[in-house]
Amino acid sequence: MTAIQSIKGRRVWDSRGNPTVEVDVVLENGVMGRAIAPAGASRGQREAIDLRDGGSALRGKGVERALASVNGPIASALAGLPVSDQVGADRAILGLDPSPMKENLGGNATVATSLAVLHAAAADAQKPLWRHVADHYGFSPSLPLPEIQIFGGGAHAGRRVDIQDFMIMVPGASSFDEVMEVTNEVYFAAGDIMASRGKLAGIADEGGWWPAFDSNEEALETLVAAIEKAGEKPGERVVISLDVAASEFGENGKYRLALEDREMDSAALIEMLGGWLDAYPIASIEDPVGEDDVEGMVEFTRRFGERVQIIGDDYLVTNAKLVREAAADGACNAVLVKVNQAGTVSESIDTYNAARSAGWGAVVSARSGETEDVSISHLSTGLGGGQLKVGSFQRSERMVKWNECLRIQDELGAGTFVGGAPMAATWWGKQHG
Ligand code: PGA
Ligand code: ZN
């Protein structure tokens, strides 16, 4: 039983150049754990608050108030607690701020601290983080199936296209390494096609190509062309995954696709997406309707839940209670797990467990504002049987997560890649059995 001796928060900077919170947890034996809070741009309304200072300095994005939470009440409450008791540490944090969205301490303060405690416990047990997570929570570790962004859109690319993430997955790969190789070919094929057509405007927030398409569907057509140019047959080894992030362009069942100057209600949006599911090899779709559109999500899941993975991100905000309610409603069949949406490791694990009990898939995810922190590579491996969403195949804050998985692959053995297993219940799984 090694006790936490001290906790120190400091200001560091994320991939968008914004300030963020880093926390060091030092144990009585000198062992240390460290983690950094990420930050979203297309945030769910019900997720833990990213506490910022406001005012004019640093465009209002300062984190002095969040750091004061870490260095003041959180440090005092956690000192002396056994580091191996993650639930106890997280409860102590929650005891300081019972508000549902952690608006008093700040979710950025709580998530960096909670993850740093987890890192310190792993270091104290002399285990890599993925092994500690698996042992501590009783999971069988396995490398996740990545979903990797090819084009960025929505809030990550000046809303140049309405749909936020155009991604691929390689469920037909037999190793994590093979996923990286295939994705690399598709990513650069996409860039070449866009450049040759005059459609390449730069790099979006998560490292994907920033497109200059004239319609959302042009992105899908280009993605299929890129998969083919890379020598793959779309829908075989490689499939498409979308994050519609519909809350970003609609509420109360009214949606507006700015790129195409089209207004639609929930039924029309579902119809349009259903048409895409028929026309393109899409195996997974996230937030197809807005976070407040329960009827729309139930209807979408009723119609397409047998053939596609339907992930709730803004819709579920890594909240176990919302997962249980959605499962009872028949909305979604998978959850996105973002530790900073929940605010602590324990609440994120509860959400993961709620999803698994419902027979759902689970995708551990980065945020659009990221850093060198690789906690999620370990978390997704330690939880086992899952998927990992990190952004694209460029920029170090993304590559550091994929590269960490390759190191874990060396420790774990290549045979522990889950591959198509998370897709088993979908169209892809049915075709490839
Ligand atoms: P965010 O987007 O990190 O900007 O919120 C990521 C996502 O929607 O999955
Ligand atoms: Zn999302």
Side-chain angles (χ1 to χ4, degrees):
M1 277 286 163
T2 312
I4 295 171
Q5 185 170 64
S6 64
I7 291 186
K8 177 176 168 50
R10 73 171 63 78
R11 183 180 69 189
V12 296
W13 306 85
D14 75 12
S15 55
R16 278 193 277 248
N18 291 326
T20 189
V21 176
E22 174 172 274
V23 173
D24 292 353
V25 168
V26 179
L27 308 182
E28 58 189 354
N29 57 7
V31 165
M32 190 191 81
R34 170 177 291 164
I36 312 177
S42 76
R43 303 167 47 77
Q45 272 174 29
R46 292 170 291 185
E47 63 178 87
I49 295 292
D50 194 19
L51 189 64
R52 301 283 172 174
D53 298 338
S56 57
L58 302 175
R59 299 163 328 285
K61 292 184 184 296
V63 291
E64 294 311 313
R65 289 198 294 154
L67 289 172
S69 301
V70 174
N71 293 324
I74 294 177
S76 307
L78 267 55
L81 297 184
V83 71
S84 58
D85 182 9
Q86 184 74 38
V87 170
D90 288 337
R91 268 202 202 121
I93 294 172
L94 295 180
L96 298 168
D97 185 356
S99 70
M101 288 159 65
K102 301 178 177 58
E103 52 247 43
N104 302 324
L105 294 173
N108 40 356
T110 65
V111 74
T113 307
S114 183
L115 279 168
V117 169
L118 190 70
H119 277 274
D124 188 46
Q126 296 183 309
K127 290 176 184 178
L129 187 64
W130 62 265
R131 170 75 71 194
H132 172 68
V133 168
D135 290 351
H136 191 73
Y137 293 101
F139 295 114
S140 164
S142 56
L143 280 160
L145 175 68
E147 29 172 10
I148 305 187
Q149 187 192 69
I150 307 296
F151 318 128
H156 301 159
R159 301 184 194 280
R160 190 55 189 75
V161 290
D162 302 287
I163 308 304
Q164 182 178 286
D165 289 304
F166 295 87
M167 298 170 284
I168 62 162
M169 294 191 289
V170 193
S174 53
S175 71
F176 195 93
D177 213 30
E178 188 182 327
V179 172
M180 294 292 107
E181 212 171 281
V182 171
T183 306
N184 182 280
E185 301 283 4
V186 174
Y187 178 77
F188 286 103
D192 287 348
I193 293 172
M194 293 164 81
S196 70
R197 294 180 183 171
K199 303 284 183 178
L200 182 56
I203 303 281
D205 279 13
E206 297 191 354
W209 304 117
W210 182 310
F213 296 132
D214 296 318
S215 71
N216 292 288
E217 213 169 338
E218 189 184 353
L220 284 165
E221 286 158 9
T222 309
L223 191 46
V224 167
I227 294 169
E228 285 168 346
K229 187 168 192 275
E232 299 287 329
K233 193 161 170 277
E236 287 291 317
R237 194 161 56 151
V238 182
V239 293
I240 293 174
S241 170
L242 299 180
D243 181 2
V244 179
S247 303
E248 290 291 309
F249 58 83
E251 57 186 345
N252 301 322
K254 290 274 167 232
Y255 300 92
R256 189 182 139 66
L257 295 182
L259 178 59
E260 299 163 29
D261 196 16
R262 267 169 83 189
E263 306 247 3
M264 49 179 76
D265 61 9
S266 191
L269 175 64
I270 291 169
E271 219 34 60
M272 181 190 79
L273 296 174
W276 291 359
L277 296 182
D278 288 337
Y280 303 97
I282 297 167
S284 180
I285 189 162
E286 181 177 325
D287 285 341
V289 300
E291 61 197 323
D292 58 357
D293 192 351
V294 177
E295 266 176 47
M297 191 65 99
V298 170
E299 174 64 6
F300 190 84
T301 307
R302 186 187 66 75
R303 286 183 56 185
F304 306 115
E306 290 294 311
R307 57 191 269 205
V308 71
Q309 173 172 262
I310 303 168
I311 305 170
D313 169 17
D314 294 346
Y315 192 84
L316 298 168
V317 292
T318 314
N319 181 303
K321 185 167 162 276
L322 293 179
V323 166
R324 284 190 286 269
E325 284 171 13
D329 290 346
C332 308
N333 58 25
V335 65
L336 206 71
V337 176
K338 289 169 165 169
V339 184
N340 82 325
Q341 276 183 332
T344 61
V345 170
S346 299
E347 288 163 287
S348 306
I349 304 271
D350 287 349
T351 302
Y352 178 81
N353 283 330
R356 298 315 289 254
S357 315
W360 284 16
V363 183
V364 175
S365 173
R367 301 307 301 249
S368 51
E370 270 293 337
T371 66
E372 64 271 34
D373 187 289
V374 293
S375 305
I376 58 171
S377 307
H378 289 266
L379 205 54
S380 63
T381 302
L383 295 174
Q387 297 160 73
L388 179 61
K389 179 186 180 193
V390 157
S392 194
F393 209 92
Q394 195 170 144
R395 302 297 193 239
S396 280
E397 79 280 4
R398 312 292 148 187
M399 302 318 293
V400 73
K401 273 80 161 174
W402 303 131
N403 289 342
E404 188 73 357
C405 286
L406 292 168
R407 294 182 196 105
I408 297 172
Q409 173 181 272
D410 280 349
E411 292 167 350
L412 247 179
T416 54
F417 170 63
V418 301
M423 299 285 105
T426 69
W427 158 89
W428 189 90
K430 281 173 193 146
Q431 296 199 25
H432 298 83

